[in-house]
Amino acid sequence: MKKALHTLQSLRTKYEVAALAEKRQLLKSRLITANATAKELFELHELLLFIRAYPDNEEILRLAEQCQEKCNNAIQRILRKRSSSTQRIFENTGIIGTTITGCFSYDLVSWLHHQYPTAICFDSFGGDVEEVYAHLLSLLPASIREHYTDHGYTTAEEWLQTSASHNRYDQLKLILSLFSSEQLHFRQRDALFDRLQLYVEIDTTRVPCRSNNSIPRPAVYYHEQGLIRKTDLNTILQEALPEEKNLSHEEKQQYIASIRLQLLSLYRETDPGTYADINDLHVYHVGRGMEIVLQGMQPERRNPIDAYIGFMAFKNGLPYAYGGAWLLGKMAKIGINVFPSFRGGESAWFFAQLKRVYYQQFNPAYFVAEPYQIGRDNPEGIETGAFWFYYRLGYRPMQNKLQQLAAEHWKKMLAQPGKKSPVKILLQLVEDEMVYLPSGNESALKQKFDTAGLSHAITSHIRKRYKGDIGRFMAHSKACLLTSGILPALKADKINAIEQLSQYLFIEDDLIQFTVDERKSITALLLEKNIGSDCHYARLLSENKKMQEILYRLCRMK
């Protein structure tokens, strides 16, 4: 099997006639032998995911899917033997037959328990024993709290066993029920739940995972002509975007479920995934079997001034990559992670298509890659040379000295193909963010501002003008909002969120004055951010020159 795997690995990105014939023969053969090792099964599992995402033709796809099913079964059989070496190989992989033991948000655990009650159970608490028990007692109805206080339980686990038996599924159900009170504000609930450090155990044979998670795919794209290796980003950005895919409510739920399960199987969780607004989910088919799903968040979970719009990409129905963009005025900070199974395919082409979607939907003047994304404090980013991936696509460092350093080493790399940059050079290059400026937007950076700068400016303003009295500052912002004529008519529970946004508007008294059109445009922003679509809010903010002027001036305040 080892030799066959090595050959299949060498063929996975080849699409010539001879390669196709050999690939077909391998997939038809008895690839999985009786003495297949855990390492070999893991490698085959990853290869088959790639082939299913990038199939040569219909036959290769059918053979790969059949082989994937056999591989999944073989993995489950070998895991049932409970060998410690096997467990180590499949640990934290999210592959079928493994157990996911992790700490996730209340909303994600609650959703999973509701959708797949037999797949998730209580594992343990990671928090302080006495503190956990005290938090749980505080959530009990007052009528029965005294009984548990007087009984003298020493640990939360002991209390759970008495209250819900030794059944770990019932124990999780009891814990979640304590947090389900409508009187418990979601922020208070989140804070209490996080302090528990609740670990749950998830059975991947009872819930879709990396091995079998997919969405109903559109017409499959077959790579008969091979893979795209060269990408012209500027040209792709200007290509007209297809119309948004029309989805039913049930189809949107299916996308959201697939996104959550894929991330969970890799011990990950994102706010747009967990708190997705089903009314702000948008799907675009960008070609070559690739769908990009944009996810706005529920109103109460949104950022106060920027819009965090997440994404997940699906390649021929398989979850392919995830990330998001933080959109603020004319800036888009994009973070991207292609799942390891699919690296070595068409990552550059995909990234260009992703930027095309964000560019045409939100009209940013420039894109920013933060230092972590390219390798700072990120060993994987350094190992993969993420800096040069962005550099090839036209991103450049902001600092002149880093621009010069990058240009020098890029020239050396071109002269010696295959040569890697020294780690010490990469560590220098990733110290600052990189920027991509689409053609014609060169002047956009002259009025650059971001959330960090805004937060610093407001904090400094509170310290200087209000002697650190946050309450006085908030009261002043609210008074300005009430007299500005831009406060829309909303229910009381929505006003607080709008007051938060207003804190960016009224730092300087002369900013209180608005024309009629400006009041209307800013009112529209407030409404979209708080009760509408965060995607639409991001578009409106990118077009609102008055709001951008206010934010830019705020960032430049001394």
Side-chain angles (χ1 to χ4, degrees):
M1 184 174 176
K2 185 176 181 180
K3 183 179 178 181
L5 276 176
H6 180 75
T7 304
L8 190 60
Q9 173 71 30
S10 69
L11 293 171
R12 71 175 192 144
T13 58
K14 296 180 180 178
Y15 295 85
E16 301 84 3
V17 174
L20 171 60
E22 194 170 1
K23 199 182 298 183
R24 182 192 300 114
Q25 183 179 353
L26 281 170
L27 291 173
K28 280 184 174 181
S29 67
R30 188 178 175 84
L31 260 178
I32 304 171
T33 58
N35 60 348
T37 66
K39 185 174 182 294
E40 289 169 343
L41 289 173
F42 174 74
E43 290 176 0
L44 178 61
H45 180 277
E46 302 305 289
L47 275 171
L48 292 170
L49 284 177
F50 185 94
I51 294 170
R52 288 170 59 199
Y54 291 99
D56 308 59
N57 55 37
E58 185 176 2
E59 182 186 19
I60 293 296
L61 176 60
R62 176 176 53 79
L63 291 171
E65 289 177 335
Q66 291 172 354
C67 195
Q68 183 90 67
E69 187 175 354
K70 293 175 183 177
C71 183
N72 292 347
N73 292 334
I75 288 172
Q76 291 179 76
R77 286 196 301 270
I78 199 170
L79 282 169
R80 283 195 287 268
K81 296 178 181 178
R82 299 193 176 278
S83 160
S84 58
S85 59
T86 296
Q87 297 293 333
R88 281 195 299 272
I89 287 171
F90 286 102
E91 187 178 16
N92 300 335
T93 62
I95 288 175
I96 193 166
T98 62
T99 298
I100 298 169
T101 303
C103 193
F104 304 98
S105 70
Y106 167 80
D107 287 74
L108 185 58
V109 171
S110 181
W111 173 81
L112 192 63
H113 181 263
H114 177 74
Q115 296 292 327
Y116 304 94
T118 64
I120 181 171
C121 65
F122 170 73
D123 178 76
S124 62
F125 292 114
D128 177 79
V129 172
E130 292 183 4
E131 185 179 355
V132 167
Y133 189 38
H135 286 319
L136 290 174
L137 287 180
S138 71
L139 296 170
L140 288 173
S143 58
I144 64 173
R145 191 180 303 144
E146 185 176 348
H147 167 75
Y148 290 103
T149 304
D150 294 343
H151 198 278
Y153 298 110
T154 56
T155 67
E157 282 87 349
E158 183 184 346
W159 170 75
L160 280 174
Q161 290 171 8
T162 303
S163 304
S165 77
H166 290 265
N167 186 307
R168 293 190 296 147
Y169 295 90
D170 289 342
Q171 289 173 4
L172 178 61
K173 185 176 181 180
L174 171 60
I175 295 167
L176 292 176
S177 71
L178 296 177
F179 288 86
S180 62
S181 171
E182 293 182 358
Q183 296 180 355
L184 193 63
H185 189 273
F186 77 88
R187 296 201 185 280
Q188 182 186 7
R189 183 194 66 206
D190 290 353
L192 285 172
F193 194 80
D194 290 346
R195 287 174 191 165
L196 296 182
Q197 294 182 43
L198 172 70
Y199 283 81
V200 294
E201 183 179 295
I202 301 162
D203 183 352
T204 57
T205 65
R206 298 185 177 187
V207 64
C209 61
R210 278 215 308 127
S211 304
N212 51 18
N213 182 21
S214 64
I215 56 166
R217 59 194 176 212
V220 178
Y221 182 84
Y222 297 110
H223 292 259
E224 297 170 335
Q225 304 303 315
L227 303 179
I228 292 178
R229 293 303 190 187
K230 293 185 179 180
T231 300
D232 185 339
L233 184 52
N234 266 323
T235 299
I236 288 177
L237 287 181
Q238 305 304 325
E239 292 176 359
L241 194 65
E243 287 189 12
E244 179 182 340
K245 190 174 179 180
N246 189 24
L247 298 172
S248 66
H249 187 83
E250 291 72 23
E251 287 172 324
K252 288 183 177 182
Q253 286 181 319
Q254 195 168 20
Y255 275 101
I256 291 172
S258 183
I259 290 167
R260 289 172 177 168
L261 292 169
Q262 183 70 11
L263 293 174
L264 186 145
S265 68
L266 292 167
Y267 296 79
R268 299 173 190 176
E269 182 178 3
T270 66
D271 285 351
T274 298
Y275 307 117
D277 182 353
I278 197 166
N279 297 312
D280 205 9
L281 183 139
H282 313 275
V283 179
Y284 301 91
H285 192 284
V286 296
R288 300 180 72 81
M290 185 71 75
E291 285 189 333
I292 294 175
V293 183
L294 298 185
Q295 313 152 248
M297 288 193 283
Q298 299 161 14
E300 65 274 14
R301 297 288 185 173
R302 295 171 184 170
N303 294 349
I305 189 66
D306 61 336
Y308 177 16
I309 308 300
F311 80 86
M312 185 166 281
F314 292 83
K315 174 71 172 173
N316 280 330
L318 299 178
Y320 175 87
Y322 79 99
W326 290 259
L327 300 152
L328 181 62
K330 288 296 184 181
M331 178 185 69
K333 287 186 178 181
I334 286 190
I336 175 177
N337 192 320
V338 175
F339 295 122
S341 311
F342 308 108
R343 293 173 187 172
E346 296 179 330
S347 297
W349 176 86
F350 157 68
F351 191 33
Q353 294 297 333
L354 177 68
K355 289 181 66 174
R356 172 191 175 202
V357 172
Y358 278 107
Y359 183 68
Q360 297 195 26
Q361 286 303 300
F362 305 111
N363 193 32
Y366 58 95
F367 293 86
V368 174
E370 293 190 298
Y372 177 83
Q373 189 70 24
I374 56 177
R376 191 173 78 182
D377 301 323
N378 178 2
E380 184 183 7
I382 294 295
E383 174 65 25
T384 59
F387 176 90
W388 296 117
F389 173 79
Y390 284 89
Y391 196 88
R392 287 184 181 93
L393 289 171
Y395 280 77
R396 294 295 181 265
M398 287 283 290
Q399 297 181 23
N400 288 333
K401 65 176 183 178
L402 295 182
Q403 289 178 14
Q404 294 172 5
L405 182 63
E408 290 172 8
H409 281 271
W410 180 244
K411 188 176 181 180
K412 292 178 182 178
M413 291 170 67
L414 291 177
Q416 295 178 281
K419 181 179 175 61
K420 285 190 173 183
S421 294
V423 170
K424 65 178 183 179
I425 297 298
L426 284 174
L427 290 174
Q428 293 178 52
L429 291 172
V430 301
E431 275 304 306
D432 196 16
E433 61 190 16
M434 299 178 78
V435 173
Y436 175 81
L437 281 164
S439 180
N441 292 342
E442 288 75 12
S443 63
L445 291 178
K446 293 180 180 179
Q447 289 196 321
K448 183 177 181 291
F449 56 87
D450 57 22
T451 53
L454 292 170
S455 180
H456 175 76
I458 292 175
T459 302
S460 178
H461 176 71
I462 293 172
R463 184 180 67 252
K464 292 177 181 177
R465 181 166 178 175
Y466 299 96
K467 308 301 181 185
D469 190 335
I470 297 175
R472 280 182 57 212
F473 163 70
M474 294 175 68
H476 173 75
S477 296
K478 183 176 181 179
C480 290
L481 180 65
L482 292 172
T483 59
S484 66
I486 63 172
L487 179 64
L490 290 173
K491 294 180 180 179
D493 64 337
K494 301 295 183 184
I495 296 298
N496 287 338
I498 283 188
E499 287 175 358
Q500 287 185 22
L501 188 57
S502 73
Q503 292 163 20
Y504 294 88
L505 294 173
F506 304 109
I507 296 294
E508 296 178 317
D509 290 339
D510 62 329
L511 296 185
I512 297 175
Q513 304 301 318
F514 298 98
T515 67
V516 173
D517 287 342
E518 287 169 350
R519 282 200 298 270
K520 286 181 179 179
S521 68
I522 292 178
T523 298
L525 276 175
L526 295 174
L527 286 169
E528 285 298 339
K529 171 58 80 171
N530 291 280
I531 62 172
S533 156
D534 217 17
C535 287
H536 192 207
Y537 165 83
R539 284 191 287 272
L540 290 178
L541 183 56
S542 74
E543 299 164 358
N544 195 308
K545 293 182 179 179
K546 179 64 174 181
M547 191 66 176
Q548 291 175 42
E549 175 192 335
I550 292 171
L551 296 176
Y552 175 71
R553 288 177 63 181
L554 172 56
C555 258
R556 295 297 177 271
M557 280 181 57
K558 301 295 184 183

